[in-house]
Structure formats: C-alpha cells, structure tokens
Amino acid sequence: MALAGDFGLQFTLQELMTAVEQQLPLPIVVWNNQALAQIRDDMLAAGIQPVGVAGRNPDFLAFATACGARAARVRGPEALIEGVRAALATPGPTLLEARDTDF
C-alpha cells in the first residue's frame, strides 16, 4: 500500500505505469487537500506568509484511468477501508483519492 499527499504523489506519478505493467495489487491512497499543507503549516508557525503552497492538482482519477489503473474517490473512513480491501484483491493498482473535505 502507498499513502501520499496530493503534491507528493505528483513527484512519482510515472511509477503508476510500472505498477500497471506489473499488475501489482497495489492500493495507492492520495490525500487531496489541494495544498502542500505541511509546508504551509510550518511557514505559518514560523510567522512566514505562505507562498507557493497551494496549486492546481490534476484529475487524479482520470490520470489513473488513462494509465490503465482502477480509480475511485473514497468518502469517509469506511469507504477507505472498503476501497483498500477491494484494491488488495484486484490485479493491478487502484488509486483511491481521499479529499480532506470528505473526512
């Protein structure tokens, strides 16, 4: 299982194709809060005006589907658990997008 933030995942999106090619039963959970939140929070704690920590994300579900992976948005802890279980039982990777507004 992989867990990544939305902007962190963007550093390794190309690896999704490797998982597809290898048909790895891999749940990939992306926490989408539309920001580099840890960096933003650290800047605020240090009294620094946040700059460059919020941006536009790609459509992660469309990207995963275009790569040949399964994809779903999960809303709430129970849906996340179900999504991970289903992904582990399915050949190939499954990207599960969890938006902060749904939890």
Side-chain angles (χ1 to χ4, degrees), residues 6-98:
D6 47 357
F7 282 84
L9 182 67
Q10 292 183 58
F11 288 112
T12 58
L13 279 173
Q14 70 277 8
E15 298 302 337
L16 184 58
M17 286 302 298
T18 301
V20 169
E21 289 170 358
Q22 296 299 310
Q23 285 297 289
L24 300 175
L26 175 66
I28 302 165
V29 179
V30 57
W31 181 255
N32 186 349
N33 60 8
Q34 299 287 318
L36 289 158
Q38 182 64 55
I39 296 170
R40 178 199 61 214
D41 294 348
D42 289 346
M43 292 172 84
L44 288 169
I48 301 168
Q49 179 66 33
V51 175
V53 292
R56 182 182 170 97
N57 281 328
D59 181 332
F60 291 113
L61 303 180
F63 181 85
T65 301
C67 289
R70 294 178 55 236
R73 181 163 299 125
V74 292
R75 292 181 168 90
E78 295 301 320
L80 177 58
I81 292 167
E82 287 290 321
V84 169
R85 284 187 179 140
L88 289 169
T90 304
T94 302
L95 187 136
L96 301 168
E97 181 182 25

